[in-house]
Amino acid sequence: MSILIKNGRVVTAESDYVADVYIEGETISAIGRDLSYPADQVIDATDKLVMPGGIDPHVHLDMPFMGTYSSDDYETGTRAALHGGTTMVIDFILQTQGDTLYNALRTWQEKSKKAIGDYSYHIAVTDFNDEVAKEVVQMIEKEGIISFKTFMAYKGALMIDDGQMVQLMKVVKAHGGIVTVHATNGDMIDSLIAKHRAEGKLSPLYHYRSQPEVTEAEASGRFADMLHYTGCPGYIVHMTCEGALNAVRRATLRNQKVFVETCSQYLVLDASLYSQDDGAKWVMSPPLREKKDQTALWSGINQGLVQVVGTDHCPFMWEQKQMGKDDFSKIPNGHPAIEHRMELVFSEGVKTGKISLNKYVEVTSTNAAKIFGMYPRKGTIAIGADADILVFDPNKKHTVSAKTHHMNVDYSAYEGWELTGKTETVLLRGKVAIQNEKCHLKAGHGQFIRRGKTSLVM
Ligand code: URP
Ligand code: ZN
Ligand code: ZN
């Protein structure tokens, strides 16, 4: 099978030019002007952007959490991702406390058999000991899974203590992996939740008030300190606020690099939503913040302090959200976003002039591929790279709605938003995945992507 994409504006993290892209089998085999190779299919990309498929390194598919499961599984979740231009996701495997990493891996391998898009896993280490340390080494060296997620919150379910964190970092560093973190101070948050509940303050607003900025800033600084002490590469997931960003900025003063991910919602939504009757839709951890934090995050992207924009996609049906209708602490945390990240960041970031087109590609695709050991197979348009390609109409306007989205969730967190810029055609490893708003690939097409060492230079 061969495909010729004609006359598009090819944009990567470092270049921007008009060219044709020729694909044979699963990879890109030629890039140039006026290519005339024979092709089974020709795609006219005149006036369109031709970019690397999006990589979302933070999604939770079919995940057991807070007494229920996130509502998108590998089939619906990766299909929705493809509709929005994201060709690969990295999901989280959760170790059950007291159990092995390998048992968790097997559970997730079963779940992911029906993936349509490509995927990999981060392994959340929720219980660290000598046996788990050996498994960490096997994950890196045998399984091609090099990133380990830790939680500094959700005590009793997912949280590890600082002693375990430092031990894990030492093992991961020695074997060329990377430690990622949900950086919030779990003890402070738990005591604020208890206080608000005791005072009868039970609405979604108190989810927000139980996780003030300092809880994230403190934990981000502590994580950076532990990385500095151990020399381990590290990555802070879903950063939301100026205080946490400043903790990473301070770490640069001792010549340290800590990778940072924010998520599309923290760039475009703010905490005023928690005062609405349907505030539970945006209950996620950490919570949405203030406008000044959006400004800090956009600046952080341009300053190179924030390298990645993911989603933390963790959708729940409205009925699931109702589990917490009388108590914010029982609302399953998370919101649906996997489908709209590429279009939201383009519309709110590139179209408004906040970030350049090259920066857009960098934060939505290339940097995740580099940090998580997949570059240059993924995250760029180059000869020999996987033909994961997004053909994007930069001027098309469209309206987001639960009536038309493809995620398995019955509301949209962006209902009625008018966006400029739309996914038109998506290729995954040389196959047409999305065209004419239809998905042309079947469950099982998605491949597990083995990963190599992290690239520490961005
Ligand atoms: O609210 C969130 N973020 N839900 C998913 C779990 C996590 O903390 O990432
Ligand atoms: Zn988290
Ligand atoms: Zn998450």
Side-chain angles (χ1 to χ4, degrees), residues 209-239:
R209 296 216 171 140
S210 298
Q211 301 201 35
E213 182 172 4
V214 65
T215 59
E216 195 180 331
E218 184 281 329
S220 300
R222 185 158 35 104
F223 180 72
D225 287 345
M226 291 186 279
L227 291 175
H228 190 245
Y229 169 67
T230 58
C232 184
Y235 176 100
I236 301 178
V237 307
H238 57 36
M239 187 176 282

